[in-house]
Amino acid sequence: LIFGTPLAAFGLQHGLVREFEYGAAFSAALLAAFYLVLAGRLLKRGNQSLRLLVEAFFALGVVFATLAVPLAFEGRWTSAVWALEAAAILWIGVRQQRLPARLFAVLLQFGAGTMFLFDLPQGGALPWLNVGFLGCAMVALAGLFSAAYIERHAEHLRPFERGIGNVLLIWGALWWAAAGLLQIDEYVGDELAVHASL
């Protein structure tokens, strides 16, 4: 309910505002502000029983704030936001000690990255500030965050999940490298591309 509802609602909102320039970006920014303000208000109450809800709202605020950036430049967003949502689901699955949620989060990350790879957008007008780089970076950061979080809480997880964390580390590192290599291929001349890649 905490993570699925905003994702579904934002998908519907995106359909409503797709005709407006920067409509999806403004929607994401407003949702980010809403969840961050909500997290701040709940935190000020000082109620420890709401701590997990505060953290979840803060995570949603960060996700939507991150999403607003590529939406301001180009409209492809679904796969990148799925990767970020998967990282949030994994985080909550670790916090709540729910193995099915963690396994679903890992599968969702790999599925989101694969979908983004098959529909990989070309560079935009600006290097680094285009959906190709930012989308790759989001998939990479989701994988790296998940790997680090699994490593940090390995003593509370099943033994095989440490191996999953290692796979996510490699996955995130490859996406991070790919994000840079795509920008080099798009924006750096042939005579400097090999040096820049190294």
Side-chain angles (χ1 to χ4, degrees), residues 48-62:
Q48 283 301 103
S49 65
L50 297 175
R51 183 74 181 178
L52 188 58
L53 188 61
V54 169
E55 292 175 359
F57 285 163
F58 179 75
L60 280 168
V62 170

Side-chain angles (χ1 to χ4, degrees), residues 1 13 15 22 25 58 66 77 91 107 109 122 141 164-165 170 193 196 198:
L1 288 174
Q13 174 71 5
Y22 302 118
F58 179 75
T66 305
W77 59 274
W91 168 73
L107 290 175
Q109 277 202 46
Q122 298 301 313
L141 291 174
I164 293 175
I170 295 167
L198 288 173

Side-chain angles (χ1 to χ4, degrees), residues 19 29 37-38 69 71 75 110 116 141 154 158 191 198:
E19 301 300 323
V37 167
L38 196 58
V69 177
L71 287 175
F110 290 135
F116 190 78
L141 291 174
R158 306 284 171 88
E191 67 280 359
L198 288 173

Side-chain angles (χ1 to χ4, degrees), residues 61-189:
V62 170
V63 164
F64 282 113
T66 305
L67 182 60
V69 177
L71 287 175
F73 296 98
E74 298 188 36
R76 296 180 187 178
W77 59 274
T78 307
S79 298
V81 78
W82 280 354
L84 293 175
E85 289 289 337
I89 292 169
L90 186 133
W91 168 73
I92 217 81
V94 171
R95 293 291 304 254
Q96 295 183 347
Q97 291 294 302
R98 297 180 64 103
L99 179 63
R102 297 193 301 267
L103 295 178
F104 173 74
V106 170
L107 290 175
L108 183 58
Q109 277 202 46
F110 290 135
T114 303
M115 285 182 61
F116 190 78
L117 184 63
F118 283 126
D119 194 24
L120 193 64
Q122 298 301 313
L126 296 171
W128 312 111
L129 294 177
N130 57 72
V131 75
F133 173 76
L134 293 172
C136 288
M138 285 183 197
V139 175
L141 291 174
L144 294 172
F145 167 82
S146 298
Y149 204 72
I150 287 173
E151 178 66 26
R152 185 174 182 184
H153 298 278
E155 67 275 7
H156 303 297
L157 305 177
R158 306 284 171 88
F160 71 89
E161 290 183 86
R162 184 170 290 208
I164 293 175
N166 293 335
V167 171
L168 284 168
L169 176 64
I170 295 167
W171 171 261
L174 288 174
W175 273 101
W176 188 251
L181 291 172
L182 284 171
Q183 296 306 290
I184 291 167
D185 183 57
E186 189 74 25
Y187 298 103
V188 176

